Amino acid sequence: MKSIAIDMDEVVADTLAGYIQWHHQKTEELISKDNVFKAGKYFFDYMGQEKDGPIRQYLQQKGFFRDLPVIENAQEVIRLLAKNYEIYFVTATMPFRNALEDKYDWLLDHFSFIPVSHYVFCGDKSLIGTDYMIDDHAYNLETFRGKGLLFHASHNVHEIGYHRVKSWVEVKQFFEMEGNI
């Protein structure tokens, strides 16, 4: 059975929505996701935050990764893929001290049909040896030896050279064309 590594943030967990919601609660300012995408930036950069700004500090707090919404259609498509592929959730957790428990619990809540033995919390994804990887960061796909899919996110709109998927419906279509759904 072939295998797929799936990133969490901005691939199945909507961190951009989490940033926007947190910012709105703190300032009452509404930020449009569309405007962040049009700018082609990370939310922090879009907001003009310094490296240690309040939004980045919030990432370090317990709970941020725990309450993120699921990206539309992710659960249904991954459930379908799991019938024919070994699914692994692979996420770079190490830069965020409190993220490990939050991300683990989040996966249990939203993707309990994937065994916990298939959760990979790491700092460097170059060690991943699956057949496919779905990630929002091109640098993770650069060293990947399988077939990489770049999941569309505000910070990667200008990336080229990768097979881009803009939604989980497009992920499903890709794997249908691969002939194994």
Side-chain angles (χ1 to χ4, degrees):
M1 184 178 279
K2 289 190 173 188
S3 56
I4 306 170
I6 302 173
D7 181 34
M8 284 185 66
D9 304 319
E10 293 301 316
V11 176
V12 293
D14 196 344
T15 51
L16 179 56
Y19 301 143
I20 289 172
Q21 179 183 9
W22 177 83
H23 181 74
H24 178 67
Q25 289 172 343
K26 294 290 181 192
T27 67
E28 296 187 13
E29 179 184 9
L30 276 177
I31 305 292
S32 161
K33 270 182 140 179
D34 287 341
N35 287 342
V36 180
F37 269 86
K38 286 176 190 170
K41 297 180 176 184
Y42 287 101
F43 185 71
F44 340 98
D45 296 330
Y46 175 80
M47 298 302 295
Q49 294 254 326
E50 296 297 320
K51 187 172 184 169
D52 61 348
I55 297 167
R56 290 183 194 245
Q57 290 173 4
Y58 183 54
L59 289 174
Q60 299 296 338
Q61 294 179 10
K62 184 148 180 53
F64 173 78
F65 291 99
R66 182 70 177 92
D67 298 322
L68 296 173
V70 178
I71 291 184
E72 187 177 15
N73 299 311
Q75 291 165 308
E76 297 82 4
V77 173
I78 293 171
R79 188 179 301 277
L80 182 64
L81 290 171
K83 293 177 182 178
N84 295 304
Y85 294 91
E86 288 288 327
I87 303 294
Y88 294 89
F89 285 107
V90 178
T91 183
T93 307
M94 299 311 122
F96 309 103
R97 180 183 173 100
N98 290 306
L100 184 65
E101 183 178 357
D102 286 347
K103 287 184 174 198
Y104 181 89
D105 290 341
W106 189 91
L107 284 169
L108 283 176
D109 284 350
H110 301 290
F111 294 93
S112 60
F113 56 92
I114 302 298
V116 296
S117 62
H118 286 60
Y119 298 175
V120 180
F121 301 103
C122 62
D124 179 1
K125 294 184 186 178
S126 67
L127 60 93
I128 302 304
T130 54
D131 297 293
Y132 300 91
M133 180 185 284
I134 306 169
D135 205 296
D136 63 309
H137 287 289
Y139 62 80
N140 287 322
L141 300 177
E142 287 173 7
T143 58
F144 182 62
R145 292 175 296 281
K147 189 162 194 169
L149 301 177
L150 184 65
F151 200 89
H152 191 62
S154 65
H155 57 270
N156 71 27
V157 296
H158 303 296
E159 290 287 345
I160 57 172
Y162 299 96
H163 186 101
R164 180 181 296 274
V165 287
K166 292 188 175 183
S167 68
W168 278 95
V169 170
E170 287 189 18
V171 170
K172 179 179 180 247
Q173 292 167 346
F174 171 85
F175 283 100
E176 285 172 341
M177 293 194 55
E178 291 286 294
N180 206 14
I181 284 192

